[in-house]
Amino acid sequence: MARPKNERLKARIRTAAWRLFATDGYEATSYTAIASAVGISRNLVQYHFPKKDVLAAQLFEDCLSRTCQVLGLTDDGLRNNLEAIYAVGSVYFTYLESEEGLGAFLLDVLKSRELTRASCAFNTRWILGHVADAQGSLTFDEGGKTVRALVGHMGGFYELLYFELDRGGTLDAAEALSPVMKALATALGYPMSQVYALTPRNALADVPIQSAVRKLQEAYASI
């Protein structure tokens, strides 16, 4: 069992790293900078986090969890609820690419094939952890059509996201995620009426996206 003192120190390291990711981006955030922000040695940071990408992965995970919280969604509320999953993704990516969010960090991640692949895999696992096919079977077959359809469309979404961020723009996450959600629903065997309904106008009309994004900005500004 990890000692409480070590857990507190790891939490301080995570917080310092996430703040630096937000202000300086992933590449410019060195172990030395993290250590200086915490007031410990560089070696101690590396002892607890041998790989910097672990800190990045934990930030994505934390942000996704907070997104669900600000939308008032639990795992039960997300189970087989494609509209709710769509809402989470729209808020999550809108926050990440916002100027007050993690735009510089996200762009650095998207410039790295390895980090992009890891992020795409994380998002895919999260989505498939909450959905089943039309027959009620959970979809964890990594070689199955559902995974292939989702990964393929998520890859296209990430390409669009990189294109916009790299040119200094922003992507309409809700609009860009619509084809991803439709491909997922189709692969799962959902009725075409539900597939066609997965658009911002139909599925997200009552979702307070901008309000939720502001809550995330406030939450991360105070860490």
Side-chain angles (χ1 to χ4, degrees), residues 34-129:
I34 297 171
S36 177
V38 181
I40 59 177
S41 69
R42 184 180 189 278
N43 288 341
L44 192 53
V45 175
Q46 285 189 284
Y47 171 78
H48 288 292
F49 294 96
K51 292 186 176 181
K52 191 171 68 170
D53 60 3
V54 172
L55 287 162
Q58 290 182 355
L59 175 52
F60 280 132
E61 185 174 355
D62 183 81
C63 186
L64 193 54
S65 177
R66 289 177 189 257
T67 301
C68 292
Q69 290 174 11
V70 299
L71 288 173
L73 291 168
T74 64
D75 280 345
D76 286 341
L78 288 164
R79 182 69 61 185
N80 294 329
N81 188 336
L82 296 189
E83 290 80 5
I85 291 171
Y86 184 16
V88 170
S90 298
V91 172
Y92 173 76
F93 283 106
T94 299
Y95 165 71
L96 286 180
E97 65 173 325
S98 69
E99 186 175 347
E100 297 82 5
L102 298 165
F105 165 73
L106 183 58
L107 181 57
D108 278 349
V109 169
L110 295 174
K111 286 179 178 178
S112 165
R113 186 175 183 84
E114 181 179 350
L115 291 174
T116 300
R117 186 185 299 115
S119 180
C120 186
F122 164 68
N123 291 140
T124 300
R125 286 194 302 271
W126 184 85
I127 293 171
L128 295 182

Side-chain angles (χ1 to χ4, degrees), residues 1-218:
M1 181 180 295
R3 291 178 294 178
K5 183 178 179 180
N6 284 342
E7 288 305 308
R8 288 194 295 271
L9 178 56
K10 289 173 71 173
R12 289 173 57 204
I13 293 171
R14 274 193 296 271
T15 297
W18 294 354
R19 286 173 176 166
L20 289 167
F21 286 161
T23 57
D24 301 342
Y26 180 81
E27 289 299 327
T29 299
S30 64
Y31 276 111
T32 300
I34 297 171
S36 177
V38 181
I40 59 177
S41 69
R42 184 180 189 278
N43 288 341
L44 192 53
V45 175
Q46 285 189 284
Y47 171 78
H48 288 292
F49 294 96
K51 292 186 176 181
K52 191 171 68 170
D53 60 3
V54 172
L55 287 162
Q58 290 182 355
L59 175 52
F60 280 132
E61 185 174 355
D62 183 81
C63 186
L64 193 54
S65 177
R66 289 177 189 257
T67 301
C68 292
Q69 290 174 11
V70 299
L71 288 173
L73 291 168
T74 64
D75 280 345
D76 286 341
L78 288 164
R79 182 69 61 185
N80 294 329
N81 188 336
L82 296 189
E83 290 80 5
I85 291 171
Y86 184 16
V88 170
S90 298
V91 172
Y92 173 76
F93 283 106
T94 299
Y95 165 71
L96 286 180
E97 65 173 325
S98 69
E99 186 175 347
E100 297 82 5
L102 298 165
F105 165 73
L106 183 58
L107 181 57
D108 278 349
V109 169
L110 295 174
K111 286 179 178 178
S112 165
R113 186 175 183 84
E114 181 179 350
L115 291 174
T116 300
R117 186 185 299 115
S119 180
C120 186
F122 164 68
N123 291 140
T124 300
R125 286 194 302 271
W126 184 85
I127 293 171
L128 295 182
H130 292 95
V131 300
D133 61 22
Q135 287 71 48
S137 301
L138 292 177
T139 53
F140 292 110
D141 180 5
E142 292 189 4
K145 67 174 184 178
T146 302
V147 174
R148 293 200 303 273
L150 186 54
V151 169
H153 282 78
M154 280 299 298
F157 170 78
Y158 272 101
E159 286 292 334
L160 283 173
L161 191 56
Y162 172 75
F163 174 78
E164 288 296 342
L165 289 175
D166 190 49
R167 63 195 289 269
T170 56
L171 181 70
D172 185 333
E175 191 68 43
L177 282 172
S178 180
V180 178
M181 297 306 303
K182 288 180 178 180
L184 173 62
T186 301
L188 290 170
Y190 280 44
M192 292 309 296
S193 58
Q194 187 167 358
V195 174
Y196 290 138
L198 290 167
T199 64
R201 174 177 294 182
N202 294 320
L204 304 178
D206 298 323
V207 178
I209 292 179
Q210 294 305 320
S211 174
V213 168
R214 285 194 295 272
K215 289 180 181 179
L216 286 173
Q217 291 169 341
E218 292 168 1

